[in-house]
Amino acid sequence: MVLAIPGILAAQDGRKAAREADCRLDHHRVCIGAEKAPLELDLTDPYGSRPMTRIFHAPGSIAIDPPPGLLALPSPGEVFVSPELREALKKEPGLSQLLPGREKGLIGAKGLAHPDELFAYVGVNRGQLKDGHPVTSYGRPYTYDETVEPSTLDIVRFTLAAVVLLPLVVYLSVCARLSAAARARRLAALRLIGLSKRGVQRVNAAETVAAALLGASLGLGVYAMVNQLISRVGLPGFRWYPSDGALSLPTMLACLIGCPLLAWFAGAAGARKAAANPLSVRRGAVAKPPAKWGLLPLLPGLGIVAGYCVAGATGNEPRDTALSSILIPVAAVLVGLGIVLSLPILSRILARTMARTSRSLPLSLAMRRNEVEPGGALRVATGLVLLVYAASLAQGVLIELDQVSRNNSPVQSYTLKLSGVSVEKQRAFEAVPGVKGHFVQLNSWWDHRSEDWPNILHAVIADCSQLRTMVPTVRGCVDGRPARLVSDGQVYDESSRPGAVFPFLLHSNEKNRRYMKVQVPEMALKYQDKLGESFVGSGDVLIPPSVIPDGFRPTAATLVLLSDSAPNTVRSVLDGIGGVDPTAEVETPGVVVTALQQITVVKTILAMGMVLGLIIGVAAYLVAATDRAVERRPQVTALSLLGARPRTLRTVQVAQVVLPLSVGLTLAVVTGKMTESSYLVTGGGETFWDGDGLPLLVGSALGVVVIAALGSLPLVGRRIDPELIRRD
């Protein structure tokens, strides 16, 4: 699954690049045959949190081959839509205002990035595309609209490495260190009867390789079935064609060769103790205490994340993002590795201290056992500890993505250029249902041929009621009287000096032009803009509509429409704008729909990574718990024959796992939150400390403790088998 994700994204980007319009340029960077070539206009609008792309096509005097997914380009009045857009049109008939014409057919899979894409080709007359660009062919080497942009993809890779690869490393290490008594003693017996050290390791590795090869083959088969199922059902916000996720030859080779290769090294490492010192295995020698060097990775990792946390707390956020992009992943890996290596050391210190001070028989037995063999119980706990640590990292990534995608403003704006828009259309735009306010933004004229720095005055054309719609905090407005807009929360525009005169270029329907001179007034209207959500700037001049001469309009201006920011309202207003002019280019500040789509895909991939990490973590727990049950069975039987009650033995087994696991989980929660906070500090968002996510993390840790405690109970059975003692 992890290896297939880049292939799926690359396949989607490849189909996007294949349908991109292109035009061959001459040495002057001018399109060859632009006068005769067809024209196209690309528009992308938000449909909820998903992008809807419309390609308006006007035929030329020369014919060109259609893009992938179409047998022929649409003629004026014809529309080709994607299957998902056809379903959306059935649910919302008002959407058809954005697609003028009759439906001619569907776009094939070769012309769509994924099955859920909202895409359409609309045929129009050449005169309707005033901003169209010539097209002579389709297909580019790359696309500018990646499914997940490279910088975001780096975040996905880092998080997947944390939530999938770290548990996988733990799983492999658990398998490599299996120490079930029967298996270890059998390998030691082979060594004692004359088999060489390398021979013992080869025997164990060959057994492991055979199982790994079978497992890899089964895994590929299961993935092929899962790919067919999930690609058709789809994940939230992320679907793909089955062929995109099909097994490629490199992926199959990586699994069929890489898994047995890893198994060979793991099997050889697992038999090293039995091959090197078989008598200690047969006689049950005491294990060596863990080395102190296991603390080394944890210390520098904690040093890095602690430094970033202090920098964020003191308001000195780091600006060097290049250095942070290296240090944060390195610190996350060092902390995760340090947790694994330091757990045996911390567990042994805790066990020795509690064994000396405790007067409880079950607790003393449990702690003495952990003191002698601190790694036994931790093989069970390590996978679960890392799972909690990885969950905290994933939580930090989701918080940063949520900060990027959140639109906190209660008002949504829509900007349309008025160049080429008639008075009737402008009034129709302003009367669209759902629009609760509108105004016109414009700048003063300046000579583009001049080499001097331009001195420009920014202005808005609105009456007092319109002004209060876009700036609710303004006071003292008088209709028909120009004024300066001033805010203490913004930097004042120094060009807007009272008494200064600026020309504004106007035109009439007869295409007559004239300059209107505006003097910056002394009167100032103050407003508050603490959150930076105002639609005007400090120093802008308010021009009443009555000041504009009759029959004239600004030559270069922008119409701004305002509505509520509720998704349904935004969708309704966009449909209404499309009903007035389907080819109008509308910008929606605050709603970057392509970014929302990318964030949805990233969240889905991270959720899938968390599920994979959970599966691997649980698998490591089951393998380690089973191994420990086999390993501890003779000792539990011996204690039973000595008179220990089953309740006492169960308490011992639970304490042996729960206490070191609690230490590990506490370390995972603390270090995980520190690493998460350091990541948020370098992310540039407003949230540094995620207090809301702490209860979920602590609740997950408590759930892990309960699962580990329940998994320890089967170690003590109801029936005593003395045969296990006789074999010793």
Side-chain angles (χ1 to χ4, degrees):
M1 281 186 159
V2 174
L3 292 176
I5 290 174
I8 293 173
L9 298 178
Q12 294 183 356
D13 291 343
R15 284 192 294 274
K16 287 182 179 180
R19 73 187 182 197
E20 293 232 355
D22 195 10
C23 187
R24 193 158 56 91
L25 305 177
D26 58 16
H27 61 283
H28 295 295
R29 307 294 295 175
V30 178
C31 178
I32 300 176
E35 300 80 7
K36 300 180 180 180
L39 298 179
E40 282 195 356
L41 177 64
D42 305 352
L43 297 179
T44 300
D45 302 312
Y47 181 77
S49 61
R50 300 163 58 191
M52 181 180 66
T53 303
R54 297 172 293 155
I55 308 294
F56 290 90
H57 178 86
S61 58
I62 59 173
I64 62 174
D65 294 332
L70 293 182
L71 297 177
L73 286 163
S75 301
E78 296 179 347
V79 179
F80 289 93
V81 297
S82 64
E84 186 68 14
L85 185 53
R86 172 187 276 184
E87 296 299 322
L89 287 169
K90 293 179 181 178
K91 297 177 182 177
E92 297 187 34
L95 199 61
S96 60
Q97 299 178 89
L98 300 174
L99 304 168
R102 67 184 185 280
E103 184 180 317
K104 183 69 174 179
L106 292 176
I107 304 173
K110 293 183 178 179
L112 299 174
H114 51 85
D116 284 345
E117 190 172 24
L118 301 171
F119 204 87
Y121 290 95
V122 184
V124 294
N125 293 316
R126 198 173 180 88
Q128 294 178 261
L129 294 186
K130 54 183 179 296
D131 296 325
H133 53 84
V135 179
T136 57
S137 63
Y138 292 93
R140 291 177 180 268
Y142 53 88
T143 178
Y144 295 101
D145 181 26
E146 298 97 341
T147 304
V148 178
E149 63 179 15
S151 60
T152 308
L153 193 58
D154 292 338
I155 299 175
V156 175
R157 290 193 182 103
F158 160 65
T159 312
L160 282 180
V163 301
V164 178
L165 295 185
L166 278 180
L168 182 61
V169 170
V170 172
Y171 177 73
L172 292 176
S173 65
V174 166
C175 293
R177 296 174 59 195
L178 286 177
S179 59
R183 173 178 163 276
R185 289 165 64 84
R186 176 174 56 83
L187 294 175
L190 290 175
R191 178 75 178 98
L192 289 173
I193 62 175
L195 196 61
S196 64
K197 293 182 181 179
R198 184 168 296 180
V200 172
Q201 292 179 333
R202 286 177 177 175
V203 167
N204 190 49
E207 294 175 356
T208 312
V209 165
L213 188 59
L214 176 61
S217 303
L218 289 175
L220 292 177
V222 170
Y223 169 76
M225 293 186 293
V226 169
N227 175 56
Q228 293 291 330
L229 176 63
I230 297 183
S231 61
R232 286 173 167 80
V233 175
L235 297 172
F238 186 42
R239 280 190 66 189
W240 62 92
Y241 291 105
S243 58
D244 294 346
L247 292 169
S248 62
L249 183 60
T251 301
M252 295 181 65
L253 292 178
C255 294
L256 293 176
I257 297 177
C259 290
L261 190 62
L262 287 174
W264 174 270
F265 290 108
R272 187 171 299 155
K273 180 180 178 181
N277 196 353
L279 287 177
S280 66
V281 174
R282 297 292 298 181
R283 294 173 179 172
V286 176
K288 293 182 179 180
K292 294 294 190 298
W293 63 265
L295 294 172
L296 290 180
L298 185 62
L299 298 179
L302 284 179
I304 295 174
V305 299
Y308 278 112
C309 289
V310 171
T314 56
N316 300 312
E317 297 86 1
R319 302 299 180 189
D320 191 353
T321 56
L323 180 62
S324 300
S325 63
I326 298 174
L327 287 180
I328 293 298
V330 169
V333 173
L334 286 176
V335 171
L337 184 63
I339 291 175
V340 175
L341 297 178
S342 62
L343 279 180
I345 303 172
L346 299 178
S347 175
R348 188 168 187 270
I349 295 174
L350 174 67
R352 176 181 293 178
T353 303
M354 294 190 67
R356 289 174 178 174
T357 59
S358 175
R359 296 184 179 181
S360 170
L361 176 62
L363 190 59
S364 297
L365 284 174
M367 293 300 99
R368 287 301 183 188
R369 185 63 197 176
N370 282 351
E371 181 185 358
V372 172
E373 190 186 5
L378 291 174
R379 285 201 301 273
V380 181
T382 303
L384 302 177
V385 169
L386 271 185
L387 197 60
V388 173
Y389 172 72
S392 182
L393 295 181
Q395 197 175 55
V397 174
L398 294 177
I399 290 171
E400 185 189 9
L401 294 176
D402 183 63
Q403 293 184 82
V404 174
S405 61
R406 186 186 304 161
N407 183 15
N408 294 322
S409 176
V411 179
Q412 177 61 52
S413 63
Y414 315 80
T415 60
L416 300 94
K417 293 182 179 180
L418 289 180
S419 176
V421 177
S422 64
V423 176
E424 291 75 14
K425 277 190 177 181
Q426 178 179 347
R427 292 174 179 171
F429 285 139
E430 296 170 354
V432 167
V435 174
K436 65 178 185 180
H438 60 85
F439 61 95
V440 175
Q441 289 180 331
L442 68 162
N443 297 328
S444 61
W445 178 87
W446 61 282
D447 189 359
H448 293 267
R449 294 171 299 180
S450 175
E451 297 181 356
D452 297 332
W453 185 262
N455 196 21
I456 299 174
L457 178 67
H458 305 285
V460 292
I461 301 176
D463 55 28
C464 289
S465 62
Q466 293 172 340
L467 179 64
R468 282 189 288 268
T469 302
M470 57 181 167
V471 190
T473 58
V474 71
R475 296 291 183 271
C477 180
V478 179
D479 279 324
R481 186 174 178 181
R484 289 180 295 119
L485 301 173
V486 180
S487 173
D488 295 334
Q490 295 180 345
V491 178
Y492 187 82
D493 185 3
E494 296 298 333
S495 300
S496 182
R497 298 187 302 272
V501 179
F502 293 86
F504 286 83
L505 182 61
L506 307 179
H507 72 278
S508 66
N509 293 334
E510 290 78 18
K511 297 185 179 180
N512 295 326
R513 295 190 175 188
R514 62 176 292 185
Y515 291 97
M516 179 185 70
K517 294 185 178 181
V518 174
Q519 184 178 15
V520 179
E522 293 284 346
M523 179 181 177
L525 300 178
K526 292 191 175 182
Y527 66 95
Q528 296 179 357
D529 184 33
K530 296 180 180 179
L531 300 178
E533 296 178 352
S534 178
F535 298 101
V536 296
S538 184
D540 290 2
V541 172
L542 173 68
I543 301 178
S546 58
V547 175
I548 306 298
D550 293 337
F552 283 86
R553 302 170 64 208
T555 299
T558 302
L559 175 64
V560 181
L561 307 177
L562 304 176
S563 76
D564 295 332
S565 60
N568 292 335
T569 304
V570 175
R571 180 71 262 150
S572 175
V573 172
L574 289 173
D575 290 345
I577 294 173
V580 176
D581 185 1
T583 62
E585 294 190 49
V586 186
E587 295 184 5
T588 52
V591 180
V592 186
V593 67
T594 53
L596 292 177
Q597 178 75 1
Q598 288 192 28
I599 290 169
T600 302
V601 172
V602 170
K603 287 182 177 180
T604 301
I605 293 176
L606 291 183
M608 187 171 64
M610 286 298 297
V611 172
L612 291 175
L614 177 63
I615 293 173
I616 296 171
V618 171
Y621 167 75
L622 292 176
V623 169
T626 304
D627 171 56
R628 186 167 177 272
V630 175
E631 180 187 34
R632 293 284 293 130
R633 193 166 53 185
Q635 299 164 2
V636 171
T637 304
L639 291 174
S640 300
L641 290 176
L642 289 174
R645 297 178 180 178
R647 180 181 299 177
T648 301
L649 294 177
R650 290 191 180 95
T651 305
V652 170
Q653 300 305 319
V654 171
Q656 282 181 351
V657 175
V658 167
L659 286 178
L661 178 60
S662 300
V663 174
L665 289 175
T666 302
L667 186 62
V669 171
V670 173
T671 58
K673 294 304 294 182
M674 290 178 62
T675 308
E676 173 193 345
S677 298
S678 64
Y679 174 77
L680 292 175
V681 166
T682 60
E686 297 178 357
T687 301
F688 289 172
W689 323 109
D690 173 32
D692 296 337
L694 190 59
L696 177 62
L697 206 62
V698 174
S700 302
L702 294 176
V704 166
V705 172
V706 173
I707 292 173
L710 294 176
S712 302
L713 294 178
L715 293 177
V716 181
R718 293 180 177 274
R719 187 175 65 87
I720 299 175
D721 186 6
E723 181 68 16
L724 296 173
I725 300 297
R726 189 193 66 79
R727 290 176 183 169
D728 277 346

